[in-house]
Amino acid sequence: MISRRTILKSGGAAAAFAMVGTPSILRAADTVKVGLSIPITGLQAILGETLLNCYKLAAAELNAANGIGGRQVELFIEDNQTTTKGSIDKARKLLNEDK
């Protein structure tokens, strides 16, 4: 069995850091997609509105600072209507349609 200590001793960590730090890997996509399934309507709409404003503010700040690894942040917002069925449907839409 290979342990973390064995990998660190063999220099595997340096190779892993070199691969992760490569700019071509960081810029594999044009944007960073963030999918949000939040309650904009329904019983918890007040919480969803706060969440939505926080995510929009964070995305705006990240994009103003040249994004994440040079890629802009793109938000995909779905209203789950504070229901279990709505949450499942919106999560499936975010995964299957919005990728």
Side-chain angles (χ1 to χ4, degrees):
M1 181 162 34
I2 298 174
S3 69
R4 181 177 60 155
R5 181 170 292 186
T6 305
I7 292 172
L8 291 174
K9 283 183 181 178
S10 68
F17 285 121
M19 288 179 59
V20 171
T22 306
S24 61
I25 292 173
L26 288 176
R27 296 172 194 226
D30 294 332
T31 60
V32 175
K33 296 180 178 182
V34 178
L36 306 171
S37 173
I38 57 176
I40 298 173
T41 60
L43 297 173
Q44 296 177 351
I46 189 90
L47 298 173
E49 184 178 334
T50 303
L51 280 172
L52 179 61
N53 291 333
C54 291
Y55 280 113
K56 284 183 176 179
L57 178 64
E61 287 182 1
L62 285 169
N63 288 336
N66 201 24
I68 299 173
R71 299 181 293 171
Q72 295 294 299
V73 176
E74 183 180 4
L75 297 178
F76 290 88
I77 301 161
E78 293 294 334
D79 178 18
N80 64 23
Q81 303 157 352
T82 318
T83 63
T84 305
K85 182 182 179 333
S87 296
I88 293 168
D89 291 343
K90 298 306 178 175
R92 286 182 178 151
K93 182 187 179 296
L94 287 169
L95 289 170
N96 297 327
E97 293 177 25
D98 297 329
K99 303 288 184 215

